[in-house]
Amino acid sequence: VKPYRLYHYWRSSCSWRVRWALEIKKLPVEYVHVNLLDDETDRPEHRARNPMGTLPVLETPWGALLTESLPILEWLEERYPSGVSLLPQNSDDRFHVRRLAELVNSGIQPIQNLTVLDRISFDPQIRKEWSQHFIRQGFVAYESLCASRSGRFSLGETLTLADLFLVPQVYNAIRFELDLSSFPVIERIWKNGLATPECLRAHPDRFAPQG
Ligand SMILES: N[C@@H](CCC(=O)N[C@@H](CS)C(=O)NCC(=O)O)C(=O)O
């Protein structure tokens, strides 16, 4: 079978979400690394794949180009419903999971994205403080919304879409040296997420450029 092709960047949290989902759904995939830091995402060939110039882009075996990680994950879930599901059964739980995913997707990640940081400052300290502020603010809300219903993962004991957003965001938080000690629930989910083989196979360390 012809594999999926994922255009991604090793440390992009949005890329990790999709790598992880592809692992969970056990789909064959060929990875194409696009270097964010070299502005490869701004090149015409990448803009042709994704007019927003962001990563990831998932190319299907039949040549469709899918962009935006949240709808990509929803699409994978709809297209491959058997096996492990990323969404719970009932609509209240599904709402809860989608709300948590959206909180990260639109309330945290875009505000600490590279393109935004580049408009703010090239001073590493200012970039760090900015990112810490918005990740902390989002994590306070995430922790409060998910605490009472969390278990090993954001909703109970089963991994969901929400965790696929949270864990890569925690990775960014650690890079920006955010103190996680006031987020015990998030820290627990981070550790449990990292303990799953699919998450590890999708982990940035596995995709770091050599040399
Ligand atoms: N909403 C988009 C966001 C994509 C996004 O911001 N990707 C980042 C990496 S996590 C990126 O490509 N940043 C570089 C850029 O915007 O040039 C998604 O979820 O796919």
Side-chain angles (χ1 to χ4, degrees):
V1 275
K2 213 172 160 223
Y4 278 85
R5 179 179 291 160
L6 186 72
Y7 297 90
H8 73 134
Y9 177 68
W10 69 290
R11 273 212 298 209
S12 136
S13 61
C14 309
S15 298
W16 189 355
R17 299 167 186 169
V18 177
R19 289 196 302 258
W20 192 353
L22 290 166
E23 286 289 342
I24 288 172
K25 296 293 183 184
K26 299 190 185 347
L27 295 168
V29 54
E30 166 190 305
Y31 289 103
V32 182
H33 196 253
V34 181
N35 196 341
L36 269 182
L37 303 184
D38 276 353
D39 287 336
E40 281 180 16
T41 46
D42 246 349
R43 297 201 184 140
E45 64 266 30
H46 188 70
R47 290 270 170 190
R49 288 175 209 125
N50 178 6
M52 275 296 270
T54 55
L55 294 163
V57 177
L58 182 65
E59 187 175 342
T60 68
W62 53 97
L65 292 164
L66 312 184
T67 62
E68 299 294 339
S69 63
L70 180 56
I72 290 174
L73 264 53
E74 296 256 9
W75 180 87
L76 287 169
E77 179 61 24
E78 285 173 20
R79 191 159 181 110
Y80 303 99
S82 63
V84 177
S85 173
L86 297 171
L87 284 167
Q89 283 309 308
N90 78 64
S91 48
D92 290 351
D93 288 349
R94 288 163 93 91
F95 166 76
H96 184 59
V97 163
R98 287 180 163 128
R99 156 168 78 176
L100 293 171
E102 181 62 6
L103 191 157
V104 175
N105 188 50
S106 69
I108 304 179
Q109 184 275 331
I111 319 175
Q112 53 93 92
N113 191 25
L114 200 63
T115 42
V116 171
L117 295 180
D118 286 349
R119 304 281 304 202
I120 290 159
S121 172
F122 287 102
D123 177 338
Q125 188 58 26
I126 294 175
R127 290 163 77 98
K128 185 164 94 176
E129 280 166 16
W130 170 281
S131 304
Q132 285 182 345
H133 171 84
F134 286 103
I135 300 173
R136 188 184 303 110
Q137 175 180 276
F139 277 8
V140 168
Y142 197 107
E143 180 98 3
S144 139
L145 285 171
C146 99
S148 68
R149 307 189 60 198
S150 67
R152 290 177 60 230
F153 298 109
S154 296
L155 178 64
E157 304 307 317
T158 310
L159 192 84
T160 63
L161 191 78
D163 306 305
L164 271 61
F165 281 74
L166 181 66
V167 169
Q169 186 59 60
V170 174
Y171 177 83
N172 280 0
I174 292 169
R175 279 178 64 207
F176 289 120
E177 297 172 8
L178 180 72
D179 176 15
L180 291 174
S181 58
S182 43
F183 305 110
V185 176
I186 288 177
E187 242 190 322
R188 183 176 72 224
I189 299 165
W190 157 251
K191 287 187 182 140
N192 289 328
L194 282 184
T196 66
E198 294 79 11
C199 178
L200 286 179
R201 282 201 291 273
H203 192 287
D205 287 355
R206 275 203 58 215
F207 297 91
Q210 306 300 315

